[in-house]
Amino acid sequence: MTTTQAAVTRGQVTQAGYPRRWLAAIVMIVGALMDMIDVTIVNVALPSIRRDLHASATQLEWVVSGYMLAFAAALIIAGNLGDLFGRKRLFLSGAALFGLASLAAGLSGSGAELIAARVVQGAAAAAMAPQVLATFRVIFSGGERGKAFGVYGAMLGFASAVGLLLGGVLTEANVFGWGWRSVFFVNVPVAVAALIAGVRFVPETRDPAARRPNVPGAVLLAGSLVAIVYPLLEGRQLGWPAWVWLLMAAGLAGLGVLGLVEARRTRRPVAPLLRAGLFRVPAFAAGLGVQLAFFGGMQGFFLAFALWLQAGEHFSPLKAGLTAVAFSVGSFVAAPVAVPLAQRHGRRILASGAVLMVAGIAGEALASPAMPATISTAPHVGINGSPWPAVPGLVVAGAGLALLVIPLVNVVLAAVPAEVAGGASGLFSTAQQLGGALGVALLGTVFFGYLNGHSFEASLVHTVPYAMGAFALCGVLALLLPRTAVSEEALTES
């Protein structure tokens, strides 16, 4: 744990701990939940957004991926700024901006306005997220720190299920005639409460050894990520002109340049962004690949799945949300054993999780009415039909998620030097958001491209193999990871 300074109005961070540390933890977790719920709550509302705003297929992709892209681009430098200027200050600023952006999203009158609000939401969430765990490392110690991290992890897992269900409830309830807009308006009172409570209960902490942020590097990183994702989202409707490929190549080159510049700096007056030395550790590079591929496959699949359920099978938003919750049920069942199993069996558990993901997603194709009856193993879902044929595959895939993703950082950090573990965790969070944005762009292109002239059912069946391929890639990369995993206690101390 790094040495920190604190400036608080009431209470003081000392070696004995901050007196109101659990109140501070609750406030920060609630703020973080706005981000995690917003990742999934929007998926259920997409068909309603599509109808109400007459949004194009590309705009729907941007609604999802614009948020994650902004998050990925801003996350690392937001952590640097919190270390330097104060984590409470960054957290409260992010919460305020998130609330304002949510209000703007709910008031949007066009797809373009909604996309702009979502990008601001993503940047605001990135300002909040790294401050939570960094503050926990200061105000908690010993066994309490492990408990705080455990509560945080459990609530984030719970948030995905809440988001799916809440998105359906709010959209279908149509409170005050708001419809899908409620999924954004609900963040406003939460943000206000987090601000009021945060001012009173969250202590200010900083890192006296923090280096100044690498602003030019952060701009290059953000520009490179946009240059990669933008062509993937816009290329299909533009007919894939030559400049699309050139822009994508420029984005990849920008990341390469940033990595080379950071790798050649022997004395660093600024905080590193990519920590290029970590990429020379094979286990870290493989783990980062798993993170990218997994979240790419998952976010891309659920974009297509949500549209299939509501636009193809005519499920109500609530029914669609309840159906998707089966995925979270599977992860809840397997989550308690994921890390203990990984400590004993390491990469084999992660590879097993990838196999379950492939099998579960394949089950969704078999449940589709577009799948030939000769190879279907379950009754079709059907128009306005039962959701139960889709449930087994979702439960299996959810269990695979728990075995693959929950212990991933524990396994990777077994091969990473302890002194750079914090930076490794930050890059993993960035990869999670970037992978999601890329997945929505790639699988969305496949889904919407096939939708021209085909049904939603056929488009889902056509898209599923690409998601399965992403999860199969996770299984292959998992075989390059260590044979063991670090403990949860060691993880919270890093």
Side-chain angles (χ1 to χ4, degrees), residues 46-288:
L46 284 176
S48 300
I49 293 171
R50 178 171 174 257
R51 290 192 302 269
D52 190 26
L53 297 183
H54 306 289
S56 66
T58 301
Q59 285 179 323
L60 288 184
E61 294 176 78
W62 271 112
V63 167
V64 179
S65 63
Y67 179 97
M68 292 183 286
L69 182 59
F71 194 112
L75 179 65
I76 297 177
I77 195 168
N80 298 153
L81 291 171
D83 291 343
L84 185 63
F85 297 112
R87 295 163 185 137
K88 174 180 178 177
R89 182 178 299 175
L90 264 290
F91 176 82
L92 294 180
S93 299
L97 187 59
F98 196 93
L100 291 172
S102 297
L103 179 62
L107 295 173
S108 297
S110 67
E113 291 176 7
L114 179 57
I115 291 166
R118 288 286 287 168
V119 169
V120 177
Q121 268 191 317
M128 290 189 289
Q131 318 312 330
V132 179
L133 296 184
T135 300
F136 283 9
R137 286 190 171 96
V138 177
I139 64 177
F140 292 105
S141 61
E144 270 198 339
R145 184 184 296 166
K147 291 178 183 177
F149 274 61
V151 171
Y152 178 72
M155 291 303 294
L156 294 189
F158 181 65
S160 62
V162 170
L164 292 169
L165 186 56
L166 191 60
V169 170
L170 291 174
T171 302
E172 190 164 332
N174 197 27
V175 180
F176 304 124
W178 289 342
W180 60 266
R181 299 176 189 275
S182 300
V183 306
F184 299 111
F185 288 148
V186 72
N187 290 321
V188 177
V190 178
V192 171
L195 277 171
I196 295 172
V199 169
R200 182 171 184 181
F201 298 119
V202 176
E204 183 63 278
T205 64
R206 298 180 180 87
D207 180 2
R211 288 168 283 183
R212 60 184 175 84
N214 184 359
V215 176
V219 172
L220 178 58
L221 175 62
S224 298
L225 297 182
V226 171
I228 293 169
V229 176
Y230 181 85
L232 295 174
L233 288 167
E234 297 287 342
R236 178 183 54 82
Q237 72 172 9
L238 296 175
W240 300 105
W243 66 264
V244 161
W245 303 105
L246 292 174
L247 184 60
M248 199 181 309
L252 293 171
L255 292 179
V257 169
L258 180 59
L260 288 173
V261 169
E262 292 207 331
R264 290 179 178 178
R265 280 182 178 160
T266 56
R267 303 181 68 180
R268 299 176 182 272
V270 297
L273 288 170
L274 296 184
R275 297 181 184 268
L278 283 171
F279 291 90
R280 291 193 287 269
V281 179
F284 175 81
L288 205 67

Side-chain angles (χ1 to χ4, degrees), residues 407-466:
L408 177 61
V409 174
N410 301 65
V411 173
V412 171
L413 290 188
V416 173
E419 63 271 16
V420 294
S425 298
L427 283 173
F428 264 64
S429 297
T430 299
Q432 173 182 334
Q433 301 296 331
L434 177 59
L438 290 171
V440 168
L442 292 170
L443 271 69
T445 295
V446 173
F447 179 81
F448 289 115
Y450 199 74
L451 190 59
N452 294 327
H454 297 86
S455 66
F456 278 93
E457 294 85 358
S459 298
L460 178 71
V461 172
H462 185 73
T463 305
V464 160
Y466 293 88

